[in-house]
Amino acid sequence: MIYRLDGLVENNVNPITGYTYDNSWIILMLTDSFDYQQMCGSSNGCAYTIKTSRNQHKDWKMAVGDFIGFCEADGKNAILVMSEADLNAVKKEYEGHSYHEPLLRENEPPVLVHSTAMNNWKQIERDGMLKSWNILKSEKVIAEDQPIGIQLGDPMDFSDYIMFGGGVTGEIVVNSKQQGKIVMDVNAEYLTGARLYFDAKRMAQDGLLVRDGCHLKVKDRLPLAPYLIWTATWETIGFASQVSTPKIFAEQADKHFESIAQLYNRQ
């Protein structure tokens, strides 16, 4: 069910039920912040919350529409914290669209990046595909009890998906897994892994791309062929050692990929 509230206090009391939140609840809060486009997480025992700024996110109406569509399809209990007028504006803007529509929108990146540790990359090459955390767990490929994102308040069902991101985000995740805790320092040394560049347009056209209002992701499995464009490792970008920092590795990998990315942008 989708619920709308004009305001919400972030604590462990669910204003809809009067009880504490369970894992079925998720919140999207529309804000006027100038500090971020979107910010995600859980605080004070509240459900996982996606804060979306109307001032910084020019396509916030599409993001809210994707959030609603994804939650309805996934059977989630979702709370929209926004005015009725804002919700009506979202519905008008989103008409004719879908959270899994088979095309890449003008504002969406033509290339999506997924980062992984080097030993994981070797397994991915053998499998010929990326698999979600839950799939890997069921196959006994991974031993940890829970994904690192749980420490950030990520819902458990995030583990059903392969997540993508840009910039240094994926390298922070790789380093955090190595350290066994969240490490946000982009200049901390770590063992670089593989940075995989995928054709987002083709993924969308083939019905694989899912939008949840904040993330672009693929459920369960993603074959490498025909979607993987290029893989950056410390060797392919010419580093002398596997040791680097998230900032340096991400920047240098992206720099090496620029010419290929420009080609895909024209397609």
Side-chain angles (χ1 to χ4, degrees):
M1 290 287 292
I2 309 294
Y3 302 88
R4 186 198 63 80
L5 298 175
D6 289 323
L8 180 140
V9 177
E10 291 181 81
N11 58 30
N12 64 349
V13 179
N14 185 331
I16 305 300
T17 67
Y19 299 100
T20 57
Y21 292 97
D22 61 34
N23 289 332
S24 72
W25 290 87
I26 189 168
I27 299 167
L28 188 146
M29 184 180 297
L30 187 63
T31 77
D32 295 314
S33 176
F34 286 94
D35 296 331
Y36 55 82
Q37 286 191 7
Q38 290 186 298
M39 184 171 65
C40 306
S42 176
S43 59
N44 302 320
C46 193
Y48 184 82
T49 302
I50 303 170
K51 294 180 179 177
T52 302
S53 170
R54 73 170 84 237
N55 289 318
Q56 294 291 80
H57 195 323
K58 68 175 184 178
D59 294 309
W60 65 267
K61 294 172 189 171
M62 293 297 291
V64 175
D66 286 334
F67 175 84
I68 294 171
F70 175 76
C71 290
E72 288 178 336
D74 211 43
K76 288 183 173 296
N77 290 312
I79 299 176
L80 299 171
V81 185
M82 63 184 63
S83 69
E84 187 172 357
D86 283 330
L87 181 55
N88 288 335
V90 166
K91 292 178 179 178
K92 182 178 180 180
E93 178 85 7
Y94 198 73
E95 187 175 352
H97 290 280
S98 166
Y99 74 97
H100 59 76
E101 57 191 349
L103 55 87
L104 201 63
R105 299 171 186 164
E106 184 177 345
N107 67 312
E108 292 175 332
V111 176
L112 293 174
V113 178
H114 178 85
S115 299
T116 189
M118 187 60 71
N119 61 322
N120 293 340
W121 168 232
K122 300 303 182 185
Q123 182 65 49
I124 291 165
E125 282 190 300
R126 288 191 292 269
D127 291 342
M129 68 177 66
L130 283 173
K131 298 177 183 178
S132 71
W133 190 92
N134 280 341
I135 294 290
L136 292 171
K137 184 68 173 177
S138 70
E139 294 178 349
K140 304 187 186 310
V141 174
I142 53 178
E144 63 257 31
D145 293 329
Q146 59 186 27
I148 193 71
I150 294 297
Q151 296 184 31
L152 292 173
D154 289 353
M156 284 302 298
D157 62 355
F158 271 32
S159 299
D160 289 328
Y161 293 88
I162 299 153
M163 311 296 285
F164 299 89
V168 75
T169 303
E171 309 316 318
I172 288 175
V173 173
V174 171
N175 188 28
S176 295
K177 287 180 179 179
Q178 289 177 13
Q179 303 302 323
K181 60 182 180 181
I182 301 299
V183 179
M184 300 301 293
D185 184 0
V186 299
N187 297 307
E189 286 193 343
Y190 78 128
L191 288 174
T192 59
R195 190 170 169 89
L196 315 181
Y197 295 79
F198 287 91
D199 185 337
K201 180 179 179 181
R202 181 171 285 185
M203 289 159 59
Q205 289 174 339
D206 291 346
L208 297 175
L209 201 61
V210 174
R211 307 164 179 89
D212 65 8
C214 187
H215 310 95
L216 295 173
K217 54 192 182 181
V218 170
K219 190 168 187 181
D220 293 334
R221 297 175 176 85
L222 175 64
L224 297 183
Y227 309 106
L228 180 63
I229 305 168
W230 185 67
T231 303
T233 67
W234 68 275
E235 294 171 306
T236 61
I237 63 177
F239 282 7
S241 165
Q242 187 180 355
V243 177
S244 186
T245 69
K247 182 177 187 295
I248 291 173
F249 183 61
E251 288 179 350
Q252 290 302 309
D254 287 352
K255 183 178 179 180
H256 276 70
F257 183 70
E258 278 180 2
S259 59
I260 301 173
Q262 289 170 3
L263 173 64
Y264 272 80
N265 281 335
R266 292 196 296 266
Q267 293 180 349

